[in-house]
Amino acid sequence: MILVTGGTGLVGFHLLLRLSQDENGIRAIYRSEKKLNHVKQLFQKDNKLSEFEKIDWVKADLLNIPALETAFSNISYVYHCAALVSFNPKDEEKLYQNNIVGTANVVNCCLTSNVKKLCYVSSISALGNGTEHNLLINEETERNNEAVRSDYSISKFGAEMEVWRGFQEGLEVVIINPGVIFGYGFPNEGSSLFVQNIKNGQLFYTQGKLGIIAVEDVVKAMTTLMKSTISGERFILVAEDITYKELFDSIAASLASRTSTNKLKKPKFEIKKWQLQIIRIFEFVLAKLFFRKRMLTKATINALYNLETHDTNKIKTAIDFEFLDMNVYLKELVGKMK
């Protein structure tokens, strides 16, 4: 039997959509009835309600060990997709508990339940750091622990350490390190917020880069790696390294092609790093005075001006993998989100 954690998230939903068409005996963990109902509606919208009903849905929290042990009954393969994504400094402890302790609990249950193989969804934020003379990142790039990192990045790296611990104790594992994942179904969260912001007339951009990938490619890589004999390896999943300006222009063009006025909504003004540093100071003061959520930190600002690129030869060679064309994919995705 296959277990999927985080079954009501973007990756979890698309993974279950694929697995339910090919596999029998699927169990998925969820925490929120609201999100479960949302995923059910997505299955129904795709005319796959019968596949949704084949899934054994179990309500459990990764920090609730008895509930987790029940979910692991008769499980042979695990896809660990559940994670907290936050860049709010106030969520440091939540990130530690959900991403590191939660993953440790999953690994322990895999070991005690004699699970055959675990696939962990990490992030490119857990990878090593580029240098002034080499901005190309691969799976072996060393991580500079003195560099400014977000709490999210630290938590994903810590979670990977728990997975490697499981590997050392005899568990077969594969880790994927995807970039920013785009996909349909969750229009008000994650990468879909890029589209919403452009719709709302976002004016500013930076010249930093980010790695992007389609959720369908993430799922294809996961399922292929799990069916292979590969173990004890991690794989970067980035279809394209693109500047924020290029990404925003692509989304704006896709949106404009679907409006009657054909009016482009491209961000027009480049914002410099020093300007964001000043804004960060004011935001910090306002957050303290009015108990507001902080959006800008040193780590998030650094990410907005990051120029690293990613070497994906390992996944391409290991399983003869080809990525979807993200320019075409984004156009289709924007059409689905209208």
Side-chain angles (χ1 to χ4, degrees):
M1 195 170 195
I2 298 170
L3 176 66
V4 176
T5 73
T8 56
L10 175 65
V11 174
F13 157 64
H14 284 271
L15 174 62
L16 288 169
L17 196 62
R18 183 182 181 110
L19 289 175
S20 63
Q21 297 174 48
D22 304 323
E23 306 281 352
N24 292 313
I26 302 168
R27 182 176 295 150
I29 290 175
Y30 75 99
R31 292 197 303 173
S32 164
E33 297 288 348
K34 181 179 179 180
K35 288 189 174 182
L36 180 60
N37 288 332
H38 176 67
V39 167
K40 182 178 182 179
Q41 290 171 5
L42 291 175
F43 270 86
Q44 192 168 15
K45 187 176 180 180
D46 284 351
N47 296 316
K48 292 183 172 64
L49 186 58
S50 59
E51 278 85 352
F52 174 86
E53 293 173 344
K54 284 168 50 179
I55 300 167
D56 178 19
W57 289 95
V58 176
K59 190 170 186 177
D61 191 304
L62 299 188
L63 301 178
N64 184 334
I65 294 176
L68 200 57
E69 288 175 340
T70 299
F72 267 80
S73 177
N74 299 318
I75 295 298
S76 298
Y77 298 94
V78 176
Y79 292 91
H80 181 25
C81 310
L84 174 64
V85 180
S86 174
F87 299 96
N88 185 348
K90 290 185 177 181
D91 288 337
E92 179 182 2
E93 180 61 22
K94 289 181 181 179
L95 286 163
Y96 172 78
Q97 290 293 327
N98 284 272
N99 295 349
I100 299 179
V101 177
T103 299
N105 291 341
V106 168
V107 169
N108 291 338
C109 285
C110 285
L111 291 168
T112 57
S113 301
N114 296 316
V115 165
K116 295 179 181 179
K117 196 170 186 179
L118 165 68
C119 176
Y120 174 58
V121 182
S122 185
S123 164
I124 56 172
S125 69
L127 297 170
N129 307 77
T131 65
E132 182 181 354
H133 303 291
N134 185 11
L135 292 172
L136 182 64
I137 306 299
N138 63 28
E139 288 83 355
E140 305 303 322
T141 301
E142 291 187 7
R143 185 177 171 95
N144 178 5
N145 291 323
E146 294 182 1
V148 176
R149 294 276 191 170
S150 69
D151 293 324
Y152 173 72
S153 168
I154 294 168
S155 73
K156 295 300 281 187
F157 178 74
E160 283 193 13
M161 293 303 99
E162 294 296 337
V163 175
W164 292 129
R165 172 179 62 81
F167 178 65
Q168 292 295 325
E169 295 182 32
L171 176 64
E172 289 195 12
V173 305
V174 286
I175 294 176
I176 61 165
N177 296 88
V180 177
I181 304 171
F182 284 83
Y184 79 90
F186 301 80
N188 298 312
E189 59 186 74
S191 61
S192 295
L193 293 177
F194 285 121
V195 179
Q196 298 299 339
N197 289 340
I198 298 301
K199 277 185 178 181
N200 294 334
Q202 180 173 311
L203 296 175
F204 300 98
Y205 66 90
T206 71
Q207 286 294 355
K209 290 184 176 180
L210 72 165
I212 60 175
I213 184 171
V215 69
E216 288 85 355
D217 274 346
V218 175
V219 168
K220 182 173 76 169
M222 292 170 70
T223 53
T224 304
L225 287 168
M226 283 290 271
K227 291 177 181 178
S228 74
T229 58
I230 295 169
S231 179
E233 300 286 349
R234 73 197 304 208
F235 297 90
I236 294 173
L237 297 181
V238 171
E240 182 179 355
D241 288 293
I242 187 172
T243 67
Y244 285 94
K245 180 68 165 73
E246 291 168 338
L247 175 63
F248 295 162
D249 285 354
S250 177
I251 293 172
S254 299
L255 287 169
S257 68
R258 289 170 167 79
T259 63
S260 57
T261 60
N262 202 37
K263 183 180 180 181
L264 294 178
K265 299 179 181 179
K266 295 181 179 180
K268 299 178 181 179
F269 306 106
E270 179 184 354
I271 187 165
K272 304 294 185 180
K273 191 172 184 178
W274 65 267
Q275 293 172 312
L276 274 186
Q277 295 286 17
I278 293 173
I279 294 171
R280 179 180 68 84
I281 295 171
F282 279 104
E283 186 194 51
F284 175 79
V285 174
L286 290 173
K288 287 290 186 181
L289 290 175
F290 300 105
F291 304 100
R292 291 170 51 179
K293 181 179 178 180
R294 288 176 60 192
M295 300 297 293
L296 291 175
T297 65
K298 289 182 180 179
T300 54
I301 290 175
N302 284 348
L304 289 170
Y305 295 89
N306 172 57
L307 295 175
E308 293 172 349
T309 56
H310 299 88
D311 181 353
T312 56
N313 282 322
K314 185 175 180 179
I315 188 69
K316 291 176 180 177
T317 302
I319 57 174
D320 193 24
F321 195 84
E322 292 185 11
F323 292 97
L324 294 172
D325 184 321
M326 288 305 293
N327 187 47
V328 174
Y329 183 83
L330 287 172
K331 288 180 181 178
E332 294 175 350
L333 178 62
V334 168
K336 291 179 181 179
M337 293 176 64
K338 271 189 66 67

